[in-house]
Amino acid sequence: IRATDFGASTDKGVAADAYSEAGLPDSINLTWFRPFDDHYPDVARETSDFIDDLRLSILNDRLERRAKEAYSPVVAAEAGRDTVGETAEVTQLIVTPKPGQDKAALAAAYAMTRQFATYGVTPDELSRALADQEARFQAAVKGANTRESRHLADELHQQLFPAPPADAVGAAGRPPASF
């Protein structure tokens, strides 16, 4: 198989874009991209991903608490990460400001993100996040045994008796007599 070489990626610098339309709710998105990490998912990488998920969970708890404060310029804020195909890893901060408080909301959410990166988490925050994660794992384990028998039987049948190739199927939707 031949792979196309598109050359090395070049840094395009900082970019900003704005979109506005009547009736849209205010929302501010900050997005950071980095190259996709295609290393094999070994124990070290899985551990790193787990820790990143815990960090995001704790940061989102802080952002949610801040949004609930009466004097906060933020209605809602959330941080997240995702992978775009196998081309980039994306980290986002999404802020919904109170009307007329766009700059203050962005400044508050970004400041919380920077403080989080600088000072880390408290032992209480870590304990809560680990307990929440444990509860999600336990729920997944309990839910794993609830798959329907009919669905499992269909999966087994498809594995044991795969459908004939498309070119072997006759006009009536059945394999020809010589099949």
Side-chain angles (χ1 to χ4, degrees):
I1 297 176
R2 187 183 75 172
T4 304
D5 182 8
F6 294 104
S9 174
T10 57
D11 185 4
K12 301 204 181 350
V14 176
D17 194 12
Y19 178 78
S20 181
E21 186 176 308
L24 289 178
D26 288 343
S27 179
I28 303 165
N29 297 354
L30 297 177
T31 306
W32 294 267
F33 291 91
R34 66 176 178 241
F36 176 70
D37 180 5
D38 63 352
H39 290 95
Y40 186 77
D42 58 6
V43 173
R45 181 169 173 188
E46 294 295 326
T47 301
S48 175
D49 287 348
F50 178 77
I51 291 170
D52 286 346
D53 289 343
L54 282 176
R55 287 182 184 131
L56 280 173
S57 173
I58 294 168
L59 175 59
N60 283 327
D61 286 346
R62 286 187 187 180
L63 291 168
E64 181 180 348
R65 282 195 310 271
R66 176 65 193 267
K68 289 179 180 179
E69 294 172 352
Y71 61 87
S72 175
V74 177
V75 172
E78 179 181 18
R81 69 184 180 109
D82 200 2
T83 301
V84 179
E86 291 185 357
T87 59
E89 294 183 8
V90 179
T91 303
Q92 285 190 308
L93 176 62
I94 302 168
V95 182
T96 303
K98 288 184 179 174
Q101 298 189 32
D102 297 9
K103 289 181 182 178
L106 176 59
Y110 189 71
M112 288 190 72
T113 303
R114 297 306 312 150
Q115 289 169 354
F116 181 82
T118 302
Y119 301 111
V121 303
T122 66
D124 288 341
E125 288 175 319
L126 182 59
S127 294
R128 275 193 306 271
L130 287 170
D132 289 347
Q133 188 65 45
E134 178 69 19
R136 283 191 288 274
F137 287 155
Q138 292 295 334
V141 167
K142 289 178 183 173
N145 292 329
T146 61
R147 294 173 62 188
E148 293 183 20
S149 298
R150 181 180 49 82
H151 182 66
L152 288 173
D154 286 344
E155 285 182 25
L156 281 171
H157 183 266
Q158 289 173 4
Q159 291 294 321
L160 295 172
F161 308 104
D167 60 350
V169 177
R174 294 187 203 104
S178 62
F179 183 71

